[in-house]
Amino acid sequence: NNSGTLSVNSGNLDLFPEGSHSGTMNAAAGSRLELLGAGGSSHILNGVSFGGSGTIIAGGMGSLLITSGGGATVAADTTFQLNGGALDGAGAMTINGHFLWMDGTIGGTGPLTIAGTSTWGKPFAVLGDRTVTISDTGSVTWNGLVIDMSNAGIVNHGSFDIRGDGDIRGFENGSFFDNLGTVTKSESIGGEGAGNANIEVAFNNSGTLSVNSGNLDLFPEGSHSGTMNAAAGSRLELLGAGGSSHILN
């Protein structure tokens, strides 16, 4: 349980299986601090600040990383990596550094703000209840296969780059994607991604949506007042069913 200062200046330090953290936790360049757990154990973050030029890793089979009260803040030069388990809780979390979502689920009701760079690389990701806000300084590169959303939201003020042929789905449970910044369907990092990507939640665009490679299907509804582009050889499809509608305003 840390309410002071914990600094990993050399090598790596693993904290297992649980704890309560309200102080400062730092990892120097080339070092790692890992918050690990198993079997329902939890690390509670209540006013903790993560810093340093190293990496903070959270994860573990069946473990919980719970934001409560004062939540957590990640500094601009720090990498925060979710490697398993679940991020949960009602507290806010703001990531000013680099966020790697490689495994695990994101849930809870507290706001999650991405103000730095982020890579979402988990093949099958679950986003439940929580709204993820990408600030105007934030960016997400998504190269996974599926994001299953359940009563959840993505609000993009920055940039969201779709680097493959994945599905964002969950319309039937009230999930949504609001774009006030830039969403781009690009060729994937591996040179693939010239096929279809699908956004199967309510997609509301007041920013810029550009399909630069392959095709992007928006299903089943949305409200659109911004700019929507499709490059040569690409398609943007506004699809619906059962009385759903795309409103052009």
Side-chain angles (χ1 to χ4, degrees):
N1 306 303
N2 180 62
S3 57
T5 300
L6 170 64
S7 297
V8 184
N9 294 331
S10 178
N12 308 315
L13 178 63
D14 296 349
L15 303 182
F16 178 87
E18 62 187 22
S20 180
H21 313 299
S22 60
T24 300
M25 308 179 86
N26 301 317
S31 296
R32 292 197 315 267
L33 171 62
E34 301 199 29
L35 308 180
L36 305 175
S41 63
S42 61
H43 288 273
I44 299 172
L45 311 180
N46 184 2
V48 64
S49 297
F50 295 110
S53 300
T55 302
I56 311 295
I57 296 178
M61 184 70 70
S63 65
L64 294 172
L65 187 68
I66 298 176
T67 56
S68 69
T73 302
V74 179
D77 56 349
T78 305
T79 296
F80 184 86
Q81 183 169 328
L82 184 62
N83 251 17
L87 173 64
D88 209 338
M93 187 169 189
T94 300
I95 303 175
N96 297 299
H98 185 56
F99 174 44
L100 288 169
W101 186 7
M102 306 308 294
D103 205 345
T105 65
I106 295 178
T109 57
L112 173 61
T113 301
I114 296 172
T117 58
S118 182
T119 302
W120 296 3
K122 178 175 170 56
F124 295 93
V126 176
L127 176 61
D129 296 318
R130 195 178 289 247
T131 295
V132 177
T133 298
I134 305 159
S135 77
D136 56 2
T137 61
S139 64
V140 169
T141 299
W142 175 46
N143 53 25
L145 297 176
V146 173
I147 300 177
D148 266 325
M149 298 175 65
S150 177
N151 194 34
I154 298 172
V155 179
N156 176 48
H157 296 268
S159 65
F160 192 97
D161 191 8
I162 302 170
R163 300 295 297 268
D165 302 331
D167 294 321
I168 298 175
R169 60 197 187 193
F171 169 75
E172 66 278 359
N173 53 51
S175 296
F176 64 90
F177 190 136
D178 289 348
N179 178 46
L180 296 85
T182 301
V183 172
T184 306
K185 166 69 168 73
S186 303
E187 185 177 30
S188 74
I189 294 171
E192 302 297 330
N196 276 3
N198 304 286
I199 298 179
E200 298 175 11
V201 298
F203 183 85
N204 305 300
N205 181 62
S206 58
T208 299
L209 170 64
S210 297
V211 184
N212 293 337
S213 177
N215 309 315
L216 178 64
D217 295 351
L218 303 181
F219 177 87
E221 64 184 26
S223 179
H224 313 299
S225 61
T227 301
M228 308 177 86
N229 302 315
S234 296
R235 291 199 315 268
L236 171 63
E237 301 197 28
L238 309 182
L239 305 175
S244 63
S245 59
H246 288 273
I247 300 171
L248 310 181
N249 183 7

